[in-house]
Amino acid sequence: MNMKILNYKYLIITLAAFFAFVHVRAQETEFHPGKLWFDNNQRLINAHGGGVLYHEGQYYWFGEHKGERSNAAWVGVTCYSSSDLYNWSDEGVALAVSKDNTSPIVAGSTIERPKVIYNETTGKFVMYFHLELKGQGYEAAHVGVAVSDKPTGPYELVKNDRVNPGEWPLNMTEAQRNATDKVEDYEWWTPEWTKAIENGLFVRRDFESGQMSRDMTLFVDDDQKGYHIYSSEDNLTLHIAELTEDYLSYTGKYIRIAPAGHNEAPAIFKKDGKYFMITSGCTGWDPNEARLLTADHVLGEWTLHPNPAVGKGAELTFHSQSTYILPVAGKKDAFIFMADRWRPENPIDGRYVWLPVLFEDGMPVLKWFNKWDLSVFDEK
């Protein structure tokens, strides 16, 4: 055989081996909070305000697709898959915006904080998200519900509306339900107005139309009951609403948490029979100090605790805002705090801050790590 051909073949084999080596070397083995994070195509992961579903050995990360100039939904909800949480493959658009101007999810509407859960009874994957109708600002405060036969989609919108019209919270007293004061009786942001909010002023205002739903998450308990946790009452009060058996609607049972406390960005998990929820205050796109709430029953009484973040940057939750708390499969009491660094001037450049949830005296603690890996959960 010609020596030049042999040398050429040798060069091809060498280059192939080299690029295979580079590809292997490029595989992530650590988390780098706040740094650029690329998918299998070497494109920035575009899944903001997201949540993760674990199903049959794979993780599926759903989030808002953002552009360079707008936080509106011009593409829809994206999906990425992973077997190790470090490396993610682009699965495309799970829920696409519509070209039909009459659709609630027409391009240019607002689709935020999508979360997906799997219903073992129906075999359906169910997505909830905060939906604002195009051209209406943040007035609609709807929840959108979509379903799919596959985790990656495509998902089909089945309904959108406010939550639990004509239903009272379980923890609202008869006196609060029957009060006759109106919103126009108060000057906003006064002590009297805050007390009225605490006593259910906005719940009564929205009783017939249904309760507002903005920042949100989903939670499936050990008994497979599903719950929708969302910021309501003009972002002043959190609600937890029980879902029907198929996860597509509500049973009418719901509670208010920290009335007039001004919480958003809820992220919930359960450990040793106790429920933990990390939230943030409401400061627009700017970060603030996280809050921690705990309860012995998901629809029970919730108690507010100090900021779970500690150390440098804790007062701004390390310049991020909670979106989801991810249980790590196969590891006991291993949870990842998922958060976003919003950059409204260039939304696509919003960064992901994933940190391990550590525990001290039975309470969750968030500490900053420039880099870390899942072995941190083996060091307890």
Side-chain angles (χ1 to χ4, degrees):
M1 185 178 288
N2 188 298
M3 186 59 68
K4 286 185 178 181
I5 295 176
L6 281 174
N7 288 340
Y8 179 75
K9 286 187 173 181
Y10 177 77
L11 177 62
I12 295 296
I13 293 170
T14 302
L15 287 173
F18 172 77
F19 285 118
F21 172 77
V22 169
H23 177 73
V24 171
R25 293 282 293 176
Q27 293 291 295
E28 293 288 350
T29 58
E30 296 174 320
F31 299 105
H32 299 270
K35 301 297 183 182
L36 295 175
W37 201 348
F38 297 91
D39 66 16
N40 61 309
N41 298 314
Q42 295 306 303
R43 291 194 293 259
L44 285 173
I45 294 175
N46 200 334
H48 308 270
V52 175
L53 167 74
Y54 181 74
H55 183 73
E56 295 183 349
Q58 283 286 108
Y59 296 95
Y60 297 92
W61 179 0
F62 301 88
E64 310 161 24
H65 182 284
K66 291 189 178 294
E68 294 181 354
R69 298 179 181 84
S70 173
N71 279 293
W74 296 103
V75 173
V77 175
T78 47
C79 178
Y80 296 81
S81 65
S82 174
S83 59
D84 61 12
L85 293 175
Y86 306 117
N87 301 280
W88 294 88
S89 297
D90 183 3
E91 298 288 352
V93 179
L95 174 72
V97 296
S98 175
K99 296 179 181 179
D100 180 357
N101 284 327
T102 65
S103 170
I105 57 170
V106 64
S109 58
T110 298
I111 295 174
E112 295 180 338
R113 297 183 179 265
K115 306 293 185 290
V116 173
I117 52 179
Y118 176 66
N119 190 289
E120 293 186 352
T121 302
T122 65
K124 299 288 187 180
F125 297 88
V126 183
M127 177 188 294
Y128 277 55
F129 54 93
H130 167 211
L131 172 66
E132 296 293 347
L133 305 178
K134 186 177 180 179
Q136 296 187 25
Y138 275 73
E139 291 299 314
H142 279 195
V143 58
V145 183
V147 297
S148 175
D149 293 324
K150 299 191 302 181
T152 56
Y155 286 77
E156 179 182 352
L157 182 72
V158 294
K159 63 171 67 174
N160 66 284
D161 209 339
R162 289 194 172 185
V163 182
N164 279 319
E167 301 285 354
W168 294 112
L170 298 176
N171 57 349
M172 194 166 168
T173 67
E174 283 297 324
Q176 290 172 333
R177 296 179 186 187
N178 294 325
T180 57
D181 55 333
K182 301 288 190 296
V183 174
E184 53 268 28
D185 296 336
Y186 300 93
E187 180 181 348
W188 283 49
W189 306 111
T190 62
E192 294 78 15
W193 175 84
T194 300
K195 187 65 177 176
I197 297 296
E198 190 176 333
N199 286 328
L201 180 68
F202 283 179
V203 176
R204 294 190 296 273
R205 177 197 67 184
D206 297 332
F207 180 73
E208 295 295 338
S209 62
Q211 301 302 314
M212 304 173 84
S213 175
R214 290 182 178 150
D215 279 11
M216 56 136 289
T217 192
L218 295 175
F219 175 70
V220 177
D221 211 338
D222 300 332
D223 59 3
Q224 295 305 305
K225 283 188 177 179
Y227 298 89
H228 177 208
I229 301 98
Y230 53 97
S231 188
S232 193
E233 302 176 37
D234 281 306
N235 291 1
L236 288 160
T237 304
L238 290 169
H239 291 184
I240 296 185
E242 184 182 84
L243 302 180
T244 53
E245 188 176 339
D246 60 9
Y247 299 163
L248 297 180
S249 192
Y250 301 94
T251 65
K253 295 180 180 178
Y254 73 105
I255 62 166
R256 305 169 74 215
I257 300 174
H262 225 189
N263 285 279
E264 63 180 15
I268 187 174
F269 69 103
K270 184 179 183 180
K271 176 181 179 291
D272 297 333
K274 196 177 189 71
Y275 301 86
F276 300 88
M277 182 157 51
I278 296 175
T279 71
S280 83
C282 300
T283 50
W285 297 107
D286 296 326
N288 55 63
E289 185 176 78
R291 291 96 177 266
L292 172 67
L293 297 111
T294 62
D296 293 326
H297 304 281
V298 69
L299 292 180
E301 185 175 347
W302 286 78
T303 302
L304 182 65
H305 301 273
N307 183 4
V310 297
K312 185 178 179 181
E315 74 283 357
L316 294 177
T317 320
F318 313 115
H319 297 273
S320 70
Q321 185 186 41
S322 50
T323 183
Y324 193 72
I325 294 177
L326 166 62
V328 179
K331 288 184 178 287
K332 179 176 170 55
D333 299 335
F335 303 91
I336 297 175
F337 172 77
M338 294 172 52
D340 292 271
R341 283 184 179 169
W342 302 112
R343 296 190 173 178
E345 70 284 354
N346 185 15
I348 195 174
D349 191 38
R351 307 293 177 86
Y352 310 108
V353 173
W354 287 24
L355 294 169
V357 179
L358 307 176
F359 293 90
E360 295 179 3
D361 299 322
M363 297 294 280
V365 174
L366 302 175
K367 297 179 180 180
W368 179 257
F369 291 81
N370 287 323
K371 60 181 180 179
W372 65 282
D373 61 55
L374 296 175
S375 67
V376 71
F377 298 118
D378 302 328
E379 300 166 3
K380 294 178 289 187

